């Protein structure tokens, strides 16, 4: 596995070594010792799998309790995946990283605790799998507006097209009003 730096040092792209032939392929997607060496020591306690159609945008989400780090990957289709630093004491506070993850490129993204996370489906549909370092707690979940002008996230939308959002994400908070981490 190759661990690739991003513009936010704590967020990492993980690229597997893929072995394939006409029969298919094999790849190692996770090894604790390598992950801990490159991303810090974390214990994963929950794994989730979602399916979404083209144009759906989920996020930007985080929890103020049961704070989750997420190791995310796409098993079908393609998404533009985004991590936003919500750690007020961080030199990269308010900055974001965006990466295309797909079943084809087989990349993963490590989104540490203290980050908001979201993704936009660019293919006809996508299946998204992610390991979490804490359990989901909907009572402390925060949603930040996907199009917050302070963040200026460069979502890969066609001009004039608005993404398909949940009611929760439609009413997300502005970044300036959202709770932060120390």
């Amino acid at each position: 596995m190759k661990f690739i730096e991003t513009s936010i040092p704590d967020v990492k792209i993980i690229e597997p070594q893929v072995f394939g032939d006409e029969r298919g392929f094999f790849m190692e997607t996770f090894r604790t010792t390598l992950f801990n060496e490159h991303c810090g020591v974390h214990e994963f306690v929950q794994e989730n799998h979602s399916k979404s159609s083209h144009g759906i945008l989920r996020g930007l989400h985080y929890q103020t309790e049961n704070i989750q780090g997420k190791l995310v990957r796409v098993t079908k289709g393609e998404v533009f995946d985004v991590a936003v630093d919500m750690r007020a004491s961080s030199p990269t506070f308010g900055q974001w990283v965006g990466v295309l993850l797909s079943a084809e490129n087989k990349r993963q993204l490590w989104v540490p605790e203290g980050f908001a996370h979201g993704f936009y489906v660019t293919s006809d549909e996508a299946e998204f799998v992610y390991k979490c370092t804490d359990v989901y707690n909907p009572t402390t979940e925060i949603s930040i507006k996907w199009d917050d002008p302070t963040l200026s996230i460069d979502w890969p939308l066609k001009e004039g097209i608005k993404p398909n959002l949940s009611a929760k994400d439609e009413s997300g908070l502005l970044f300036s009003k959202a709770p932060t981490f120390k």
Side-chain angles (χ1 to χ4, degrees):
M1 278 183 270
K2 185 173 165 186
F3 290 78
I4 302 167
E5 298 289 325
T6 69
S7 59
I8 300 177
D10 294 333
V11 177
K12 307 276 192 223
I13 298 168
I14 303 168
E15 199 168 72
Q17 186 173 8
V18 181
F19 303 93
D21 58 25
E22 67 281 350
R23 299 168 299 155
F25 70 88
F26 170 85
M27 66 179 181
E28 180 179 28
T29 61
F30 182 79
R31 186 187 309 178
T32 301
T33 54
L34 285 176
F35 184 84
N36 290 351
E37 177 185 333
H38 294 276
C39 300
V41 177
H42 301 275
E43 179 183 359
F44 293 102
V45 299
Q46 181 177 329
E47 184 170 272
N48 304 310
H49 187 142
S50 71
K51 180 179 178 181
S52 302
S53 300
H54 180 269
I56 289 177
L57 192 150
R58 298 188 186 274
L60 301 159
H61 303 147
Y62 65 101
Q63 297 174 181
T64 56
E65 295 175 26
N66 302 100
I67 301 165
Q68 295 178 315
K70 297 176 181 175
L71 180 58
V72 301
R73 69 186 180 109
V74 172
T75 58
K76 180 180 182 182
E78 179 183 80
V79 307
F80 182 70
D81 198 72
V82 173
V84 177
D85 194 344
M86 299 302 296
R87 303 169 301 171
S89 62
S90 170
T92 57
F93 174 65
Q95 294 179 28
W96 61 274
V97 169
V99 177
L100 279 175
L101 302 177
S102 69
E104 186 175 315
N105 72 23
K106 296 176 180 35
R107 287 180 156 189
Q108 299 180 77
L109 188 68
W110 166 239
V111 181
E113 294 88 346
F115 283 73
H117 174 257
F119 64 90
Y120 174 71
V121 180
T122 57
S123 55
D124 288 341
E125 65 181 17
E127 293 196 28
F128 194 82
V129 175
Y130 53 108
K131 297 176 183 338
C132 302
T133 60
D134 210 331
V135 295
Y136 176 61
N137 182 350
T139 64
T140 69
E141 186 173 43
I142 304 293
S143 183
I144 298 173
K145 287 192 170 294
W146 68 277
D147 59 350
D148 184 287
T150 303
L151 299 174
S152 296
I153 296 172
D154 190 15
W155 298 100
L157 304 173
K158 291 189 170 99
E159 191 172 329
I161 301 295
K162 187 176 178 209
N164 185 348
L165 304 170
S166 68
K168 171 179 66 178
D169 292 339
E170 280 281 357
S171 61
L173 299 174
L174 288 172
F175 176 77
S176 62
K177 304 284 188 203
T180 61
F181 301 102
K182 293 181 180 181

